Amino acid sequence: MHPEFQQLMHQATQLTRSGDLAAATAAIQAALRGGPPAVLRRQDDVDASDVIDVEAWEVPDSARAPDKAPDIPGDAARPAPRPAVSADTFTAGSFRNSSGQRAYKLYVPPNPNPDGAPRPLVVMLHGCTQDADDFAAGTAMNEAAREQGFYVLYPVQSRNANPQKCWNWFKHNHQQQGRGEPSILAGMTREVMAAHPIDPARVYVAGLSAGGAMAAILAGAYPELYAAAGVHSGLAAGAASDLPSALSAMKGAGLAPAGQAGSGVPTIVFHGDRDATVHPGNAESVIAASAGAGARAETQRVAGATGKRHSTRHVYRNAAGDIVAERWDVHGAGHAWAGGTPNGSYTDGAGPDATAQMLRFFFERGAAGKH
């Protein structure tokens, strides 16, 4: 049986079980036609929870431009997006377990398994007020996936779970393995892995702001699942346990000191040093929670192209000399995805290319990054 037909029928089964008959019908029709389905959309799921309102800072259009930092491998000027070929798909689905239900969108690259080799998967967690389409457009992650041949999963937060569509990283019942949103997101990741030729040693998670905070939680709660994490403008796992402590942490108050031992999950962090929404000091807390107190830091100044932002890159090594974490301080940047495109919200095209750098960091870690 053709793999595209199997994939589409699997999607149709999932959509039927979750009650989205129109989307299931579209998937079945596409399977019978032998081609990819049109983009399928799902309504928000229902989940009652406390909420947090998080302001976001967006760089004006005039400040957005592609960037290149030639001294760092992988950070080349991103090529202009090319039209998707007929073989790649970006479709919607839904996952439910005992902790709740969330929708998602999945990008499948063209010819995902031509040589029989499984492909990497990058899980992307959007920030407050965003959704999968917005986050995909702003980060240009699908364009990178098309060029490099990997899958991208975009879980979608429901407005019923949080009116601003923030992941509930600050609630104690959404911070542990087997509970709340971490349970849903890990289960969703595993279901996608089971349905597609994905390499279990090359599964990664990244996010922006509230999504970055949840990415840090997922990496710590499921180190056997995620080989590395990317945290952009986010906070460390355990930075808060309720709304008041979340607001304090976001302002930089009461940041936890470096612990004796980190989670051991390789982590790359991006943070603007003029971020007025999530205090830049949280970047060091994320690194400490990952790499631990004993990591040795090396610092490198990264010059931006003319008119673009400069950065300071910190590389952290363990006692054996292995790189276990990386932190980018983006000078002059606020609360926005560095190197993003103006096609999405909360992006800063004048910054270094966070998408390219995260992928470089991720793909340097395969089976060796698993625990």
Side-chain angles (χ1 to χ4, degrees), residues 77-155:
R78 182 183 291 123
R82 301 185 307 180
V85 300
S86 60
D88 65 347
T89 61
F90 193 32
T91 58
S94 180
F95 173 81
R96 179 190 292 276
N97 66 8
S98 60
S99 295
Q101 177 179 346
R102 295 294 185 276
Y104 66 80
K105 295 194 74 172
L106 178 67
Y107 178 80
V108 179
N111 304 315
N113 197 30
D115 55 2
R119 302 298 175 185
L121 168 67
V122 178
V123 180
M124 292 286 285
L125 301 175
H126 63 75
C128 299
T129 76
Q130 295 182 311
D131 58 24
D133 293 301
D134 182 16
F135 199 39
T139 61
M141 189 61 76
N142 289 358
E143 284 73 25
R146 184 179 304 129
E147 293 289 335
Q148 300 181 46
F150 60 91
Y151 292 79
V152 192
L153 173 64
Y154 298 88

Side-chain angles (χ1 to χ4, degrees), residues 198-285:
I198 290 170
D199 183 352
R202 293 188 293 167
V203 178
Y204 314 94
V205 60
L208 171 67
S209 191
M214 184 56 72
I217 290 172
L218 279 180
Y222 296 92
E224 77 288 350
L225 180 58
Y226 301 103
V231 178
H232 201 311
S233 309
L235 303 93
S241 58
D242 54 23
L243 181 56
S245 58
L247 297 176
S248 294
M250 290 168 63
K251 293 176 182 178
L255 296 179
Q260 292 301 308
S263 69
V265 177
T267 301
I268 181 170
V269 174
F270 275 79
H271 215 118
D273 64 8
R274 293 189 183 177
D275 190 333
T277 301
V278 177
H279 191 278
N282 283 281
E284 294 185 47
S285 295

